[in-house]
Amino acid sequence: MKIATWNVNSLSVRLPQVLAWLAANPVDALCLQELKLTDDKFPHAALQEAGYHAVAFGQKTYNGVAILSRSPVRDVVRNIPAFDDEQARVIAATLDTPQGPLRLFNGYFVNGQEPGSEKFAYKMRWLQALQDWIRAEMALHPRFVLVGDFNVAPEDRDSYDPVGLKETIHHTTEERAHFQALLQLGLTDAFRMFEQPEKSYSWWDYRMLGFQKNRGLRIDHILVSEALKPHVTACAVDRAPRKNPQPSDHAPVVVTLD
């Protein structure tokens, strides 16, 4: 079984790339972030033709998340139930697999703008609310996967310039503490279960030849529960879509479960 996460930075712009990637990489589930479209504009027909059911939680111009799956999903929840939020940032669903139900959370985490700002304070509140919700969900769903654009580079090796960017957004002690708190709930960073090339990133700025110079960050993550950890056989970033004309600034991350 393969599960992927990809911030597409506008599904209306990137739909042909998503369809082409799915044709070449027929994953069982693909979680998308930054749809930037409302639910009535979501391309259900095109995705069904490609063999995927979809549940979405959209928003005009900003945010938006979706789960695409080979088989129908159930028990869909949109946004954090106990957190009042106007932004479409989380969608959760249960996939019925031959090995049993799998609870899949897809999040477009708050960017936070800069430490000390109101947007950063919102990010801290949002992360705490997410953590509390996941703790409760994991008690009900041992087979649990959290994916998405976390907007956090958890370690220095996840940043092209950890010294110059120290304590800037995505690199702050507070953001990294929240990432560690998610791991302490019983989740494991699937990417770090394997030997990876140095300077492995999932996002590169459009400006200043960020991708060409590999000036990137690893901010797109897949975390798996203890029950799934023994079944993870691979996890990698697929850099190929970042080379497309008019690409997203993020690349897909894919985890393989036996």
Side-chain angles (χ1 to χ4, degrees):
M1 181 180 190
K2 291 189 175 184
I3 298 172
T5 179
W6 190 6
N7 179 324
V8 291
N9 192 13
S10 176
L11 184 57
S12 58
V13 173
R14 242 67 69 178
L15 179 61
Q17 296 185 37
V18 170
L19 294 172
W21 189 84
L22 286 171
N25 304 272
V27 296
D28 297 277
L30 172 60
C31 295
L32 303 177
Q33 303 90 39
E34 272 204 278
L35 306 179
K36 296 184 177 180
L37 46 75
T38 50
D39 289 346
D40 60 307
K41 299 289 198 302
F42 191 85
H44 285 283
L47 291 167
Q48 283 177 350
E49 190 173 334
Y52 287 86
H53 303 266
V55 290
F57 182 31
Q59 180 179 344
K60 186 179 180 180
T61 310
Y62 301 103
N63 308 319
V65 284
I67 296 174
L68 318 184
S69 174
R70 285 285 187 188
S71 56
V73 301
R74 57 181 173 86
D75 302 332
V76 178
V77 178
R78 292 169 172 84
N79 262 1
I80 305 169
F83 186 74
D84 186 19
D85 194 358
E86 296 179 352
Q87 301 190 21
R89 292 193 171 276
V90 188
I91 191 165
T94 295
L95 284 62
D96 290 305
T97 76
Q99 296 75 30
L102 183 149
R103 191 67 171 161
L104 179 59
F105 269 47
N106 173 26
Y108 175 46
F109 289 38
V110 180
N111 180 288
Q113 193 174 45
E114 62 179 354
S117 68
E118 174 50 38
K119 290 183 179 179
F120 189 81
Y122 162 52
K123 183 174 191 173
M124 294 298 102
R125 295 192 301 272
W126 189 93
L127 286 168
Q128 185 60 57
L130 179 73
Q131 183 190 140
D132 294 341
W133 184 29
I134 287 176
R135 181 185 295 106
E137 286 281 311
M138 287 181 65
L140 301 172
H141 306 284
R143 291 163 49 81
F144 185 93
V145 180
L146 170 63
V147 311
D149 174 1
F150 285 41
N151 273 311
V152 179
E155 302 177 62
D156 283 355
R157 58 179 168 166
D158 297 315
S159 172
Y160 75 94
D161 185 9
V163 176
L165 295 172
K166 185 178 177 66
E167 296 301 334
T168 63
I169 199 65
H170 311 314
H171 300 75
T172 66
T173 300
E174 295 93 334
E175 291 167 295
R176 289 177 167 180
H178 275 287
F179 187 92
Q180 290 301 315
L182 289 171
L183 300 185
Q184 288 163 14
L185 293 176
L187 294 169
T188 297
D189 183 347
F191 188 78
R192 289 299 176 205
M193 291 174 61
F194 304 94
E195 197 75 32
Q196 301 288 357
E198 286 188 17
K199 299 182 178 180
S200 290
Y201 309 125
S202 64
W203 171 88
W204 300 262
D205 200 322
Y206 289 126
R207 300 166 297 180
M208 299 175 66
L209 300 175
F211 182 67
Q212 292 82 347
K213 295 180 179 180
N214 200 26
R215 293 163 58 91
L217 305 175
R218 188 177 75 96
I219 55 176
D220 302 271
H221 306 295
I222 299 178
L223 308 186
V224 299
S225 64
E226 288 296 321
L228 290 176
K229 185 178 175 181
H231 302 283
V232 178
T233 59
C235 188
V237 177
D238 182 0
R239 292 167 51 98
R242 189 60 175 80
K243 301 173 186 176
N244 290 338
Q246 283 194 301
S248 169
D249 45 356
H250 295 253
V253 183
V254 185
V255 67
T256 305
L257 305 167
D258 67 19

